Amino acid sequence: MKFLEEIEVRGKTVFLRVDFNVPLDEGQNIRDDTRIQASLPTIKYLLEKGAKLIVASHLGRPKGQFNPKMSLKPVAAHLEKLLPETRIIMAPDVIGEAVDKLKASLNVGQLLLLENVRFYKEETDNDPGFSRKLAEGCQVFINDAFGSCHRAHASVVGIAAFIPEKAAGYLLKKEVDYLSKITHHPEKPFVAILGGAKIEDKIPVLESLINKANTVLIGGAMAYTFLKAKNLQVGKSLVEEDKLEIAAQIMKKAKENQVRFLLPSDHILATSIESQEAKTTVDSYPFPDDLMAVDIGPKTISEYKNQIKTARTIFWNGPLGVFEVEAFARGTIEIARAVAESEALSVVGGGDSITAIHKAGVADKINHISTGGGASLEFVAYGTLPGIEALQ
Ligand code: AMP
């Protein structure tokens, strides 16, 4: 994979794919511009080096329909503030005659922001005709949209076939550098922490980690599918009944591989998430029928912390409990602190874990906070991503 700085961009028309999928409020105001800030180094570099810059992104899920609520216009207005020296032109569309005219008249140092690429169904279909239209008039393709690299979409993957020169931007390169370190040559002991609601989206990463990691620490609702698979009665806790078999297989494989696969040994129980109140802490089974687990207990926190202390490499994705509720957040926050205190190379991915890291006030003590939850999980699972392969 080539890197941006290895390519001559002066005077060339550059198609830059970024992830500007920012949260908007009712009044179309940007609530958090982290994603825009994350690609600013690449944008500034390209403008300084004399590129004619075309920028594309998706926002939300408009499902192939033009939807003014998911327009990138607020992003164009924000870019004007962030780049006061630069002429920002908002395109009325993604492709078509009007856009082609704007592309052709673009000057060095100007930035043309295309409309939401997902206004076209062809984007998510990775339609070659659409990819060709996106590539129209462009000599260089730069991908800086790490968070979208696990999707084989037209502006991420398809377009690369129609533009000869291509490379990764700063954000993508940093993600790949860190994730490669933990995926391909992790310094041992490698401790992986996985939480969140469902096993379903985490099967590939679990299967990969039980071959690579020394220790896997499980938390969140996910843990209760594993515990149920061990025939333990977990009350009203969330269990994916259709995943019991795969859960049992994963635990068996971990044992064969001599991977320490730890499940919570004590649990905070509540009548419901909505009750926002912990009823009791238990370390035995069965759980009362009317209670569900909402967080890991103090004994588990201490056991997991001990494992984290021994690590030279840490990968963490997903909260260990319903951390959005104050009374059920302790496990996740304590684990965030332990990861931050560790001397290991630490990589954290996934929106919830990142929120927890910020809540715990330890973001500056984490080596790498990945901008892509799904993308980082898939990278760890498969060692690469469709969007990265397209740049090779
Ligand atoms: P995911 O998107 O799979 O990473 O799941 C994140 C969600 O899992 C968060 O909204 C948490 O509130 C939720 N979660 C974590 N632990 C539990 C639990 N024990 N029971 C129910 N939901 C949980």
Side-chain angles (χ1 to χ4, degrees):
M1 185 176 78
K2 263 198 188 163
F3 173 46
L4 169 73
E5 290 181 3
E6 297 167 50
I7 284 190
E8 177 58 67
V9 295
R10 191 164 300 281
K12 292 185 185 167
T13 304
V14 174
F15 186 102
L16 170 66
R17 175 59 155 102
V18 293
D19 179 359
F20 283 168
N21 185 21
V22 288
L24 297 175
D25 67 14
E26 290 289 310
Q28 308 291 105
N29 303 300
I30 296 169
R31 278 200 285 114
D32 178 352
D33 75 345
T34 306
R35 286 186 167 151
I36 300 176
Q37 296 283 355
S39 273
L40 271 190
T42 295
I43 291 173
K44 284 185 177 162
Y45 176 87
L46 288 167
L47 291 170
E48 274 162 24
K49 292 287 171 186
K52 301 173 188 176
L53 188 56
I54 298 168
V55 180
S57 175
H58 71 283
L59 197 161
R61 293 191 172 157
K63 302 204 170 128
Q65 300 282 332
F66 223 88
N67 182 339
K69 284 195 178 142
M70 294 178 202
S71 165
L72 281 162
K73 276 184 197 151
V75 175
H78 196 63
L79 281 173
E80 277 175 0
K81 282 187 215 144
L82 295 174
L83 302 164
E85 313 278 297
T86 304
R87 171 127 194 260
I88 311 287
I89 304 157
M90 182 65 215
D93 204 329
V94 186
I95 52 167
E97 218 174 293
V99 175
D100 286 344
K101 271 193 194 147
L102 287 172
K103 281 183 179 178
S105 61
L106 199 61
N107 287 325
V108 162
Q110 294 183 339
L111 187 160
L112 173 67
L113 179 63
L114 301 183
E115 255 304 357
N116 188 343
V117 284
R118 289 197 191 160
F119 284 173
Y120 286 80
K121 184 175 160 292
E122 291 88 338
E123 162 68 4
T124 48
D125 288 346
N126 197 20
D127 180 271
F130 182 70
S131 299
R132 185 193 292 276
K133 285 182 198 155
L134 288 176
E136 183 72 43
C138 302
Q139 291 92 45
V140 175
F141 171 52
I142 303 290
N143 186 349
D144 213 22
F146 174 72
S148 300
C149 276
H150 57 316
R151 313 264 188 221
H153 291 174
S155 66
V156 180
V157 171
I159 189 173
F162 298 100
I163 303 184
E165 286 247 67
K166 43 207 163 232
Y170 290 104
L171 170 70
L172 179 55
K173 181 172 189 299
K174 186 166 173 248
E175 293 276 5
V176 172
D177 285 351
Y178 272 105
L179 287 162
S180 294
K181 264 188 216 166
I182 66 159
T183 308
H184 302 308
H185 313 285
E187 214 182 303
K188 307 279 176 123
F190 176 13
V191 176
I193 310 157
L194 286 183
K198 288 187 178 168
I199 293 188
E200 193 170 10
D201 2 299
K202 295 189 176 120
I203 293 170
V205 78
L206 280 161
E207 285 175 338
S208 159
L209 287 170
I210 53 175
N211 285 304
K212 284 188 197 116
N214 301 93
T215 303
V216 180
L217 308 176
I218 302 286
M222 225 166 79
Y224 299 91
T225 300
F226 284 107
L227 290 165
K228 179 98 188 267
K230 294 176 89 161
N231 285 322
L232 297 166
Q233 299 307 310
V234 293
K236 266 200 324 181
S237 304
L238 281 192
V239 169
E240 291 156 273
E241 296 288 343
D242 60 337
K243 296 288 176 299
L244 293 175
E245 200 160 312
I246 181 94
Q249 278 169 21
I250 288 169
M251 289 187 286
K252 183 166 170 260
K253 190 81 190 291
K255 201 169 177 189
E256 283 165 16
N257 292 352
Q258 294 180 320
V259 170
R260 211 180 277 116
F261 193 87
L262 299 189
L263 297 170
S265 59
D266 63 342
H267 320 266
I268 309 292
L269 304 185
T271 49
S272 67
I273 293 174
E274 295 70 37
S275 74
Q276 305 208 357
E277 185 186 67
K279 275 269 178 244
T280 178
T281 305
V282 297
D283 61 359
S284 64
Y285 306 86
F287 293 176
D289 283 343
D290 58 338
L291 297 183
M292 68 181 289
V294 288
D295 196 7
I296 55 175
K299 208 160 79 178
T300 309
I301 292 176
S302 146
E303 283 160 8
Y304 284 11
K305 278 189 159 179
N306 286 336
Q307 295 298 329
I308 291 167
K309 265 187 208 148
T310 68
R312 303 283 311 149
T313 304
I314 298 173
F315 175 65
W316 176 26
N317 182 297
L320 291 108
V322 185
F323 80 112
E324 297 92 335
V325 176
E326 199 63 39
F328 314 146
R330 185 167 164 226
T332 305
I333 299 294
E334 289 283 330
I335 294 304
R337 290 203 181 112
V339 172
E341 277 161 22
S342 153
E343 300 278 302
L345 175 80
S346 51
V347 176
V348 178
D352 291 329
S353 321
I354 295 169
T355 307
I357 293 276
H358 286 290
K359 253 190 182 174
V362 295
D364 57 333
K365 297 200 173 71
I366 304 294
N367 291 98
H368 181 61
I369 298 182
S370 177
T371 51
S376 64
L377 281 178
E378 282 202 26
F379 190 98
V380 173
Y382 303 113
T384 185
L385 297 172
I388 293 167
E389 288 305 294
L391 295 179
Q392 310 291 356

